[in-house]
Amino acid sequence: MAELTLYLGNRSYSSWSLRAWLVLRQAGVAFDEVVIPLRGPGQRVPEIQRHSPSGKVPALQHGSLTIWESLAIAEYAAESFPEARLWPEALTARAVARAVSAEMASGFGALRSALPMNVRRKIQGVALTDAASQDVARVQTIWNDCRSRFGQGGEFLFGRFTIADAMYAPVATRFDTYGVELDEVSRRYAASILAFPAMQEWIAKAKEETQIIEAYEAIGVVGK
């Protein structure tokens, strides 16, 4: 097969890059990583535009094919490498995994704005808006439901690590960064995500980054 190249934003800030990266790592396939530094909210980066039709990261290049959206990259990996079992095998579990992954991809705007991803920070006592608090509660409902219905045999939402876990991994980092109080099931699940070897590798590389984008250091700004 043609070589794969994943174009990423800063590991400290780019939650969508993390999602695609975790999926490819879980697939167990070799791929090149190209980190393209971000500039700030609403600022286009010419280098990203050369590799991504949307002008956003992540973007996966596989031969002549380019895929530029995280969940689409995940679906492509699941279809290209079925042996990796990136979705749950049971029909019901797979349907729910896709539903919660799509909900993550399209929703939770208040949470994203209130708690921007920054794995290099530890900030306590952030006051959440009502909308952000509702998002936090909804995430915990999802985590509790998936763990209770499908989590037997492992520590992740559907037992073993799947695309759904990759989709929620940046949320676990946000909760850790800002010290968000969680129920016991959610706390254990978030700890499992943060302890996942690939996640630990990502965090270690993020901490080596030297670029600081002030807008992404301020609470209330969404890092893409």
Side-chain angles (χ1 to χ4, degrees):
M1 299 182 71
E3 292 185 357
L4 291 93
T5 300
L6 184 64
Y7 295 93
L8 308 168
N10 307 55
R11 288 184 174 89
S12 297
Y13 308 123
S14 186
S15 59
W16 296 104
S17 295
L18 170 58
R19 293 177 171 105
W21 185 87
L22 283 174
V23 168
L24 292 181
R25 286 301 304 272
Q26 187 65 10
V29 298
F31 62 98
D32 293 328
E33 303 173 34
V34 178
V35 176
I36 303 174
L38 305 175
R39 291 184 177 177
Q43 297 185 42
R44 295 291 185 177
V45 179
E47 181 66 14
I48 293 177
Q49 293 179 294
R50 284 195 284 271
H51 300 289
S52 172
S54 68
K56 299 178 180 179
V57 287
L60 176 67
Q61 183 177 352
H62 193 185
S64 60
L65 174 66
T66 299
I67 309 164
W68 58 91
E69 196 278 331
S70 297
L71 194 50
I73 291 171
E75 289 281 13
Y76 182 73
E79 294 181 359
S80 298
F81 311 104
E83 67 281 0
R85 300 188 303 159
L86 294 172
W87 287 118
E89 294 178 340
L91 178 63
T92 299
R94 190 166 63 252
V96 173
R98 282 196 162 104
V100 299
S101 295
E103 184 175 352
M104 182 73 258
S106 62
F108 302 102
L111 188 156
R112 301 178 201 276
S113 295
L115 306 176
M117 177 171 152
N118 189 333
V119 300
R120 295 183 299 198
R121 302 180 76 187
K122 295 289 185 182
I123 300 175
Q124 303 296 314
V126 175
L128 298 179
T129 64
D130 288 344
S133 294
Q134 290 172 11
D135 279 355
V136 171
R138 174 57 186 157
V139 167
Q140 292 184 86
T141 297
I142 290 170
W143 289 0
N144 275 262
D145 180 60
C146 291
R147 287 291 299 147
S148 65
R149 294 169 64 193
F150 308 109
Q152 298 77 12
E155 54 191 340
F156 300 110
L157 295 179
F158 296 85
R160 57 183 173 78
F161 192 94
T162 68
I163 288 169
D165 299 294
M167 293 300 293
Y168 283 87
V171 179
T173 74
R174 286 174 158 102
F175 290 166
D176 180 62
T177 295
Y178 299 98
V180 176
E181 185 175 346
L182 304 173
D183 63 59
E184 183 61 21
V185 171
S186 298
R187 187 192 62 77
R188 290 199 304 268
Y189 171 67
S192 296
I193 286 290
L194 294 174
F196 191 53
M199 189 73 240
Q200 285 289 300
E201 180 184 347
W202 178 278
I203 292 171
K205 290 181 178 179
K207 290 181 177 179
E208 294 173 356
E209 294 178 339
T210 58
Q211 183 191 22
I212 298 294
I213 301 177
E214 293 298 335
Y216 291 156
E217 296 292 321
I219 296 175
V221 178
V222 178
K224 186 66 174 177

